[in-house]
Amino acid sequence: MNIFRLAGDMTHLLSIIVLLLKIQATKSCAGVSLKTQELYAVVFVTRYLDLFYSFISLYNTVMKIIFLLTAFTIIWYMRKHKVVCQTYDKEQDTFRVLFLIVPCFVLALLVNHEMSVTEVLWTFSIYLEAVAILPQLVLLQRTKNVDNLTGNYIFMLGSYRALYLVNWVYRYFTELGYRQWIVWVSGTVQTCVYLDFFYYYVQAWRNNERMKLPG
Amino acid sequence: KEEVEKHDEL
């Protein structure tokens, strides 16, 4: 474990906490894409199957359980909570997620470290995570309302993977023979997907104004 | 092979 990866994990955890607080405090999920939340739940389920058969560390196990529980809690709020589910703009959140899931799964079958069920599913989760934010970014473009908390959520979600990129550089130079090409390429793509958002987020922050996306 | 075992990241 290094400081970059710990910072990345904490930023990821914080992003989820911010989203949960937004939903719980405002009893609203306006501007939040349920599709992205469901894609992330798929990412966590397919990636953390090793919870059942391999123990890495207490930290690793606890964080996986937290990520799984919070992901499903957010989905429960958006689908089942009587007040919150009325604030979900279903008509705008229409991204065809199959166009993300199927290619990622096919790619995981073609490019992986080992042709085993758990390894293919793990690889699938790596590819899927790179594009899981797309429905959320599309929803923002459509609804234009980037409320502060949702903006912070997306910013931190993008930042965590950027911190992981630094972690991979660090591990490459400090751990002889450490290679994770699949994760490195996918993580780079994932971070690039956020660059446009980062640009407008930082611009709004610099001008100390509410974030607005181009027409 | 070593990459498969070392999924030590979240």
Side-chain angles (χ1 to χ4, degrees):
Chain A
M1 172 62 82
N2 59 67
I3 186 65
F4 307 110
R5 190 168 126 214
L6 184 62
D9 289 341
M10 290 306 110
T11 305
H12 190 187
L13 180 62
L14 195 60
S15 73
I16 294 169
I17 302 298
V18 161
L19 181 60
L20 253 180
L21 283 181
K22 166 210 160 57
I23 293 174
Q24 272 176 333
T26 65
K27 287 288 179 285
S28 160
C29 64
V32 178
S33 165
L34 175 61
K35 303 232 172 178
T36 283
Q37 298 309 314
E38 289 171 340
L39 285 175
Y40 255 99
V42 171
V43 165
F44 291 145
V45 167
T46 50
R47 188 175 302 177
Y48 299 156
L49 293 172
D50 61 357
L51 267 175
F52 301 112
Y53 61 81
S54 90
F55 179 80
I56 304 249
S57 71
L58 185 63
Y59 171 82
N60 189 275
T61 302
V62 167
M63 290 296 281
K64 286 176 177 175
I65 292 169
I66 292 173
F67 283 159
L68 283 164
L69 288 181
T70 49
F72 285 107
T73 303
I74 289 168
I75 291 170
W76 175 82
Y77 261 109
M78 295 185 72
R79 278 188 174 277
K80 298 289 182 210
H81 190 282
K82 56 191 179 308
V83 176
V84 173
C85 75
Q86 290 162 21
T87 61
Y88 167 51
D89 25 13
K90 193 178 177 58
E91 303 72 43
Q92 302 264 35
D93 191 19
T94 58
F95 198 101
R96 289 172 183 76
V97 292
L98 265 185
F99 290 175
L100 300 176
I101 292 172
V102 174
C104 287
F105 190 75
V106 170
L107 188 60
L109 287 171
L110 299 174
V111 181
N112 55 59
H113 291 312
E114 180 193 84
M115 263 319 249
S116 68
V117 171
T118 52
E119 192 56 27
V120 167
L121 286 178
W122 177 85
T123 311
F124 165 67
S125 83
I126 295 293
Y127 297 145
L128 188 62
E129 188 188 2
V131 293
I133 197 65
L134 286 175
Q136 177 62 66
L137 295 178
V138 165
L139 182 65
L140 284 192
Q141 293 286 353
R142 285 183 185 157
T143 57
K144 292 278 171 290
N145 84 327
V146 190
D147 73 77
N148 219 2
L149 285 168
T150 308
N152 293 339
Y153 162 70
I154 299 170
F155 180 76
M156 286 189 278
L157 199 53
S159 307
Y160 115 81
R161 213 57 176 170
L163 286 165
Y164 256 73
L165 291 179
V166 181
N167 151 65
W168 291 324
V169 170
Y170 178 84
R171 293 188 75 176
Y172 175 80
F173 286 111
T174 55
E175 294 175 33
L176 202 57
Y178 178 72
R179 294 279 182 285
Q180 284 276 352
W181 292 113
I182 289 179
V183 190
W184 293 349
V185 172
S186 188
T188 303
V189 168
Q190 179 171 339
T191 305
C192 291
V193 165
Y194 284 83
L195 292 182
D196 172 70
F197 175 86
F198 283 153
Y199 172 78
Y200 289 108
Y201 184 91
V202 170
Q203 214 179 19
W205 176 75
R206 279 232 300 265
N207 306 341
N208 197 13
E209 66 192 9
R210 185 176 164 77
M211 184 177 168
K212 53 186 177 300
L213 295 167
Chain B
K1 187 73 183 98
E2 56 99 25
E3 282 144 349
V4 172
E5 277 125 28
K6 283 177 65 90
H7 292 328
D8 61 345
E9 294 180 341
L10 289 173

